[in-house]
Amino acid sequence: MLGAGALLLAGCAAVPPGPRTVDISEARLARMLATRFPLDHHYMELLDVSLSQPRLRLQPQDNRIQTELHYSLGTVIAGTRRVEGEMALSYGLRYEPSDRSVRLTDVRVDRFDVPGLPERADRMSRLGGAVTESLMHDAVIHRFKAEDLQAGHGWVYEPGEPVIVPGGLRVTLTPVRR
């Protein structure tokens, strides 16, 4: 009888749990993103860059997220004029297994408004876009805790690629043997 119970338990451990999904709402994504701002950075010891007031919009048809931001750019030289305006960037998301994080990928500046400086708008747009893309590339937006990925009985969950869906983000967790 004891041997049959051990065999039954061993058989249960061999049966993988089913996959499951983790859904993160658009509101929660917006709160998670907001914790990264304001973002102040000295870029190449030449520019002071400040990004603030993120406003998130999902683009499920492209599996991307767009974020509108307020920016402020200025040189580190005292007395120079700062340029401020609004911009929009979009990005995809990827899962990084080394630290169980969901990160921004393929960051692109979609719009970079330069009010009051029409003669410099193109140059400022290129500069501001390059700076923003480098600052935001690979930024962590979510991190799974180790216990989030435990499945029990010798199994763990491995997250798949994040997918933007109407209303938020979805990650499918697939069981794998430990």
Side-chain angles (χ1 to χ4, degrees):
M1 183 68 143
L2 186 58
L7 186 58
L8 179 62
L9 284 175
C12 288
V15 176
R20 60 186 192 117
T21 58
V22 173
D23 290 319
I24 300 173
S25 71
E26 183 174 0
R28 185 167 171 220
L29 276 173
R31 285 191 305 272
M32 292 160 58
L33 184 65
T35 64
R36 298 192 50 81
F37 295 92
L39 176 64
D40 297 308
H41 186 73
H42 293 299
Y43 187 75
M44 296 179 71
E45 303 301 321
L46 296 173
L47 290 175
D48 278 329
V49 180
S50 179
L51 303 174
S52 61
Q53 304 168 13
R55 295 166 310 279
L56 183 131
R57 190 173 72 212
L58 302 177
Q59 299 176 322
Q61 69 280 5
D62 300 322
N63 199 32
R64 295 179 68 76
I65 297 174
Q66 184 178 66
T67 301
E68 294 180 347
L69 300 160
H70 178 80
Y71 75 84
S72 176
L73 289 174
T75 63
V76 294
I77 301 168
T80 58
R81 182 174 171 213
R82 293 189 74 73
V83 176
E84 294 189 35
E86 298 295 313
M87 64 177 297
L89 57 96
S90 64
Y91 44 88
L93 298 174
R94 70 176 185 85
Y95 176 70
E96 173 54 50
S98 66
D99 65 355
R100 300 181 311 275
S101 64
V102 176
R103 297 172 174 264
L104 277 59
T105 188
D106 190 26
V107 177
R108 294 189 305 242
V109 174
D110 298 329
R111 188 184 84 246
F112 195 93
D113 300 331
V114 184
L117 294 173
E119 70 283 355
R120 293 186 177 160
D122 189 48
R123 187 171 38 169
M124 289 300 295
S125 179
R126 283 193 315 270
L127 176 63
V131 169
T132 302
E133 287 174 7
S134 70
L135 286 176
M136 299 302 293
H137 175 74
D138 225 27
V140 174
I141 194 169
H142 178 69
R143 194 177 311 271
F144 286 97
K145 297 176 193 157
E147 55 268 19
D148 294 338
L149 303 178
Q150 295 301 312
H153 303 294
W155 294 88
V156 296
Y157 284 109
E158 184 175 289
E161 286 304 308
V163 177
I164 306 302
V165 296
L169 166 69
R170 177 168 291 148
V171 179
T172 300
L173 306 178
T174 305
V176 295
R177 192 145 222 12
R178 222 185 311 193

